[in-house]
Amino acid sequence: MFSTSFSLKPKCHGEIVVNEVSFVRKCIGADSSHGDLWGKLICTNFKVSFITHDALPKQRFQVANRLLGEHDVPLACVEQVVTVNDAKGKQKVLCSNQKLKFNPTELILYCKDFRIIRFRFDEAGPQSAKKVCLAIAHYSQPADPQLLFGFEYVGKQYYGSLAINSIPTQELTAACAGERVNGVDPGGGLQMPLFDRPSEWDREIKRTGAAEWRVCSINEGYIVSSSLPEYFVVPVSLADQDLKQYLCFFTAHRIPLWCWNHPNGSALVRMASISDPLQQRKLDQRICSAITKSHPQRSDVLKSDLDKNLPNIQDIQAAFVKVRQICVIEPFEESEEKWLSSMESSRWLEYVRAFLKHSAEVVYLLEGKHVSVILQEEEDRDLSCVVSSLVQLMLDPHFRSLTGFQSLVQKEWVMAGHRFLDRCNHLKKNDKEESPLFQLFLDCVWQIINQYPAAFEFTETYLTVLSDSMWIPVFSTFLFNCPQQRTENSMDFSKSKCIPLGEEKALRFPPVWDWSQQFTPKDQALFNNPMYVGKGATCVQNGAVKSFRRTKKNYSSTLRGMPSSLRNILMDGHDSLTLTRRNSLVPRLKPDFSQIREVVESPTERFFRDWVSRPADLQGMLIPQLLPSHLALWRLYFLRWVPEASILKGGPVTAYHKLSQLADEVEKLQSQLRQYKGATPASTPTSNPSAPPSDHSRMYFKAGSTLEPSSTPEYLSSSFPFSPVGNMCRRSILGTPLSKFLNGAKIWLSTETLANEAL
């Protein structure tokens, strides 16, 4: 009945088998063992693998990760390891280096991507089962950053073949400076900037027209600040010597960083708080004066204190934990009858709205008031990452393209020193430091995509896969708290393993943006939005193929009659800009409808009302609508592993499937039209039915032939390209409030009333 001829062929360099146990049953259904899979459970230094020859009860999806098998879970994705002994009625949460006094009959893995995976050891050897459980607990909680699998992966895949004693120095340097490392071309093969060199900052300055800003290199070698990048942008009027004098007064020496320039000259800047109260006014004046000088109209500068106006990281973490409990944690029966109210009380959507609203108000200042804005946060490494990114996403269509969005994350998160190692809690050291800031940002992006689907080149599948990649400890993007930490740990690791770096400063980890590490070109096509109307998008007009081009005016029209300056309210703490999170962008509806005419709109409200009244310019400014009905739960991310939430041949993927086929057909017709237009009468191409179809389409789903009408594939469901089978084990939810929600029920935020909906 059982076979032990299973073998694990490591997909990654540096991956080794730590422990394994045979005759393991992976639970597929929670109510019975019908359809469960039998196989071998293996723990490596990278992942938990389940090897089986059994077929899944349903046809599996076609997308596969090159680093992970269908039943694999990266160790970094494991949130909690729980062992159960049925006979003794015991249950234990395993931590690293702990002892297990009983033989487990069941293993439950609670994952950070909302999966719950169960394995049964009814037929397995007790001691082998115990050892593999202890191994999973130990290796999923590394004690040091250098124990994360990425170091072994990079060291073995590229540097492992280099021996410092057997290779001449010149050849060694040339090898370490090779054109490709782990499939990545450091010289620009990614077609996007990583912002680790001055030239890439220069290009961004020129792209945004920030003429009065310059690249600063005082932090080369991280001698000024350990959390700042080596190169960043500052006002031209601020000399390096001045910056060196100011930096000691800022928290962690994080002096103001330029983020982006509006075409009207307004700048978006972020900075840490000033640690010396005696220097507060003096430094504020100097910094603001320098930013003002960088503006063509010498416009004012406003400061937004994010710590005062937005939820803190602990509140965000608490909300995320509640959502996870509501969506996946057992027992479900306790919250079943109050599912909708529980989701509301988690405050997750309220926090999503708070960040979107605050970002929109900053957009108003940059766009409508023509003033520069400083985002201030204690350390400038958390909330400012979210707000600065959302502001740029709303104002600059470049960041709505795939490469543009990736460069935005690289610039505002990775290089700006967001503490991914701590916030993801990769080392399981301090739960108080854990917070899903990046997931919150992706949820905010999804909300905007949900409202303006044709404005973005990428899909919600891309956002979900990007979030999942945080738990694959191979990419430098999500492994470290800052670039300096990567350099320091890389040098230490290289010395301990005798890895020759040549002239390199550190090991070159692949960035997550090299998607060929995880997916085939065909599977990467799932990232492409068939509805995208972007700069350079092709169209057919009067029989000729043309490209859509944005005019050279501003990203969007400013409100007519709006004054171009605003009084400087950066005098002191009492006069500083306060963007309260509970005010609505539109006036609240009063009980007495006769009083509506007496309501005096603020300039902010008038600006947004005027913008909403015009047709949306997908290549201009985008402002999300923030009434309760406009915000939704991101179902693909939060509910993709729930079998009952998976709608066979239904959900958004159905529309995506049809639109992709339509876009593919349009691309083929355009190609034929270009060929026909460029051909001479003597060389007019003739149709060749037997010729193989071109596979250069950017769409995952191709247009069907006229002889074989296209139909929705059997494997498509609302969870596509993810499979809920075997990834969630709990009792049925049919007929519960959750099932009603899946059929269209709304979630209302507690801070709003139904009356607001009328607006």
Side-chain angles (χ1 to χ4, degrees), residues 541-554:
Q541 182 177 348
N542 297 328
V545 178
K546 297 184 177 181
S547 294
F548 171 81
R549 300 292 180 188
R550 181 169 52 85
T551 58
K552 293 184 178 180
K553 61 182 181 179
N554 289 352

Side-chain angles (χ1 to χ4, degrees), residues 622-638:
L622 291 183
I623 301 296
Q625 300 185 63
L626 300 176
L627 289 176
S629 60
H630 296 138
L631 298 181
L633 185 71
W634 185 8
R635 300 183 186 185
L636 183 65
Y637 180 76
F638 290 106

Side-chain angles (χ1 to χ4, degrees), residues 59-84:
Q59 185 174 351
R60 67 178 298 275
F61 57 90
Q62 294 185 345
V63 180
N65 193 303
R66 286 175 164 176
L67 299 178
L68 299 167
E70 186 174 356
H71 301 283
D72 291 350
V73 179
L75 290 169
C77 188
V78 177
E79 176 76 21
Q80 203 172 66
V81 180
V82 179
T83 52
V84 180

Side-chain angles (χ1 to χ4, degrees), residues 561-580:
M562 183 63 65
S564 60
S565 63
L566 190 65
R567 64 183 179 89
N568 190 345
I569 53 176
L570 192 61
M571 299 301 295
D572 53 42
H574 297 288
D575 293 330
S576 61
L577 176 66
T578 302
L579 304 177
T580 55

Side-chain angles (χ1 to χ4, degrees), residues 571-688:
M571 299 301 295
D572 53 42
H574 297 288
D575 293 330
S576 61
L577 176 66
T578 302
L579 304 177
T580 55
R581 67 183 178 192
R582 293 187 180 275
N583 290 340
S584 176
L585 293 180
V586 292
R588 296 179 180 275
L589 188 62
K590 291 190 175 183
D592 186 358
F593 288 87
S594 64
Q595 297 180 8
I596 290 182
R597 294 184 179 181
E598 300 177 8
V599 175
V600 179
E601 286 185 326
S602 69
T604 308
E605 294 167 340
R606 193 180 310 119
F607 176 84
F608 288 113
R609 184 177 292 277
D610 180 81
W611 183 86
V612 170
S613 67
R614 303 192 301 264
D617 177 10
L618 299 182
Q619 281 293 297
M621 181 179 70
L622 291 183
I623 301 296
Q625 300 185 63
L626 300 176
L627 289 176
S629 60
H630 296 138
L631 298 181
L633 185 71
W634 185 8
R635 300 183 186 185
L636 183 65
Y637 180 76
F638 290 106
L639 300 175
R640 56 186 158 149
W641 307 122
V642 182
E644 295 85 356
S646 182
I647 307 170
L648 187 61
K649 292 188 176 183
V653 71
T654 305
Y656 176 78
H657 171 246
K658 298 297 182 184
L659 288 169
S660 296
Q661 291 182 318
L662 182 61
D664 180 61
E665 187 172 2
V666 170
E667 287 180 2
K668 289 179 179 178
L669 292 173
Q670 290 174 342
S671 177
Q672 294 174 7
L673 185 59
R674 281 191 292 268
Q675 293 177 5
Y676 177 80
K677 185 178 180 180
T680 61
S683 60
T684 302
T686 57
S687 59
N688 183 8

Side-chain angles (χ1 to χ4, degrees), residues 373-564:
V373 177
I374 296 176
L375 304 176
Q376 181 170 300
E377 185 186 8
E378 178 65 24
E379 291 190 359
D380 180 38
R381 303 176 70 178
D382 291 308
L383 309 181
S384 56
C385 297
V386 181
V387 176
S388 64
S389 300
L390 289 176
V391 169
Q392 293 173 69
L393 199 70
M394 294 178 190
L395 282 171
D396 193 339
H398 168 69
F399 294 125
R400 299 171 211 152
S401 68
L402 184 61
T403 56
F405 181 79
Q406 294 179 164
S407 69
L408 177 68
V409 174
Q410 185 72 24
K411 176 168 67 83
E412 297 298 326
W413 292 80
V414 181
M415 299 309 294
H418 178 66
R419 298 193 292 185
F420 279 107
L421 183 70
D422 294 341
R423 298 298 177 247
C424 296
N425 204 8
H426 285 317
L427 304 182
K428 310 288 196 307
K429 281 188 175 181
N430 191 346
D431 293 342
K432 293 182 179 179
E433 294 293 324
E434 184 175 356
S435 186
L437 272 300
F438 192 66
Q439 289 96 329
L440 176 76
F441 165 66
L442 295 181
D443 199 331
C444 290
V445 175
W446 178 83
Q447 301 289 343
I448 306 176
I449 292 179
N450 195 39
Q451 295 184 25
Y452 304 101
F456 293 81
E457 186 179 17
F458 47 90
T459 62
E460 68 170 335
T461 296
Y462 167 79
L463 294 178
T464 308
V465 168
L466 179 57
S467 178
D468 289 346
S469 299
M470 296 174 68
W471 316 121
I472 302 179
V474 167
F475 312 109
S476 60
T477 313
F478 304 124
L479 272 189
F480 305 101
N481 287 333
C482 57
Q484 186 272 345
Q485 188 185 53
R486 176 182 67 87
T487 301
E488 181 180 0
N489 280 276
S490 293
M491 293 178 66
D492 292 343
F493 182 81
S494 300
K495 291 179 181 178
S496 66
K497 300 292 185 179
C498 298
I499 297 175
L501 295 179
E503 295 180 354
E504 291 289 305
K505 294 180 181 179
L507 295 173
R508 285 184 288 178
F509 290 78
V512 73
W513 317 123
D514 179 24
W515 292 106
S516 63
Q517 293 281 318
Q518 297 191 64
F519 303 103
T520 64
K522 174 177 173 54
D523 288 347
Q524 290 178 56
L526 283 169
F527 300 165
N528 299 326
N529 178 12
M531 293 185 288
Y532 177 57
V533 179
K535 184 177 180 180
T538 56
C539 61
V540 179
Q541 182 177 348
N542 297 328
V545 178
K546 297 184 177 181
S547 294
F548 171 81
R549 300 292 180 188
R550 181 169 52 85
T551 58
K552 293 184 178 180
K553 61 182 181 179
N554 289 352
Y555 291 126
S556 63
S557 301
T558 55
L559 184 61
R560 294 183 294 274
M562 183 63 65
S564 60

